[in-house]
């Protein structure tokens, strides 16, 4: 498959067209931003780790019946994915109160909640990704009622599958962000990434943060935390294919 012109450059990834209209190639960068671009930096080795971790988790989800955009890992930073139209929502799944929810609702970070919380934000950097509810989404036509039902059901299933996998790796899945895409046939599938950039992972025993909060909050040990997540999920550095 041939990599053609760049379609888009985001904060952490670039997306390229290919010679097959059904597929794109994503390329993971080491660049990191936080606070909607207010804080910028580089996390050495992040691109290859997020590429590997995302592909590993997407393959695991596929095996359990969750449709994803994953097709094939091409290199340490590049992956072939299915072409989809991204639903302009960030779907946030929360098991333990942290980050913006803890702040907004005035609860201590780490508070266990009686059930899983699902939140939607409208993907728009200029607006700062405002939180919206299902009636906004339907009113604006960002997704249909059936699509939204599917997105919610898939998000809860993904939470169950990932939560169990991470628990086995000694990691608590505190919260995470998902994005979904619409295939040309109209199927809703999981897109984007699942990595320490987009999830909060806390060590089950010590509570240590092993995710992007180390960068956001200047906690140090950022690279080591990403490498630790990779090691726990995939084992010591080895062949690049799962
Ligand atoms: N998240 C993300 N991208 C965003 C916003 C949030 O991947 O643009 C992830 C974040 O890593 C965390 C979860 O979604 O795992 C919830 O984030 P929160 O709303 O607490 O925002 P934050 O505290 O990161 O600003």
């Amino acid at each position: 498959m041939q990599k053609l012109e760049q379609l888009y450059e985001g904060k952490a990834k670039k997306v390229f067209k290919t010679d097959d209209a059904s597929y794109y190639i994503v390329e993971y960068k080491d660049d990191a931003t936080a606070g909607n671009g207010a804080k910028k930096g580089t996390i050495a080795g992040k691109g290859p780790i997020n590429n590997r971790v995302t592909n590993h988790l997407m393959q695991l989800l596929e095996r359990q019946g969750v449709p994803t955009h994953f097709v094939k890992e091409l290199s340490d930073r590049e992956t072939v994915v299915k072409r989809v139209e991204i639903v302009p929502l960030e779907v946030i799944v929360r098991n333990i109160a942290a980050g913006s929810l803890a702040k907004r609702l005035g609860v201590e970070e780490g508070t266990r909640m009686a059930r899983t919380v699902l939140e939607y934000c409208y993907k728009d950097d200029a607006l700062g990704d405002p939180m919206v509810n299902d009636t906004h989404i339907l009113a604006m036509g960002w997704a249909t009622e059936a699509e939204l039902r599917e997105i919610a059901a898939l998000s809860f299933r993904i939470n169950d599958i990932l939560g169990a996998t991470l628990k086995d790796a000694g990691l608590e899945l505190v919260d995470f962000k998902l994005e979904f895409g619409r295939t040309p046939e109209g199927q809703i599938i999981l897109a984007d990434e699942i990595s320490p950039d987009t999830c909060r992972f806390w060590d089950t025993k010590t509570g240590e943060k092993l995710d992007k909060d180390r960068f956001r909050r200047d906690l140090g040990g950022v690279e080591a935390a990403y490498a630790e997540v990779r090691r726990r999920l995939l084992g010591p550095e080895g062949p690049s294919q799962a």
Side-chain angles (χ1 to χ4, degrees), residues 90 92 94 98-100 175-177 197-200 216:
E90 297 199 334
I92 296 178
R94 302 181 179 273
S100 70
D175 58 27
F176 56 101
K177 186 263 299 181
D197 267 9
T198 63
C199 305
R200 285 195 168 93
R216 294 188 189 101

Side-chain angles (χ1 to χ4, degrees), residues 103-175:
K103 219 172 174 174
R104 189 173 355 111
L105 302 184
V107 295
E108 200 181 329
E109 193 162 72
T111 305
R112 302 223 165 225
M113 302 186 286
R115 56 156 292 163
T116 300
V117 169
L118 200 60
E119 295 173 348
Y120 302 107
C121 296
Y122 174 49
K123 252 174 82 72
D124 187 315
D125 283 341
L127 298 175
D129 299 336
M131 191 187 291
V132 294
N133 66 31
D134 51 348
T135 67
H136 295 107
I137 296 166
L138 299 175
M140 299 299 161
W142 296 323
T144 66
E145 208 154 357
E147 286 175 338
L148 203 50
R149 253 199 314 275
E150 179 70 3
I151 286 170
L154 286 172
S155 298
F156 286 121
R157 249 171 72 209
I158 291 166
N159 187 44
D160 290 344
I161 297 166
L162 292 184
T165 299
L166 286 153
K167 195 169 171 204
D168 290 343
L171 296 169
E172 186 97 64
L173 180 58
V174 175
D175 58 27

Side-chain angles (χ1 to χ4, degrees), residues 2 14 44 58 66 82 89 103 108 114 142 157 177 196 202 215 221 235 242:
Q2 224 189 327
K14 296 178 183 176
M58 291 238 181
V66 175
K82 292 178 191 157
L89 297 174
K103 219 172 174 174
E108 200 181 329
W142 296 323
R157 249 171 72 209
K177 186 263 299 181
W202 292 353
F215 170 79

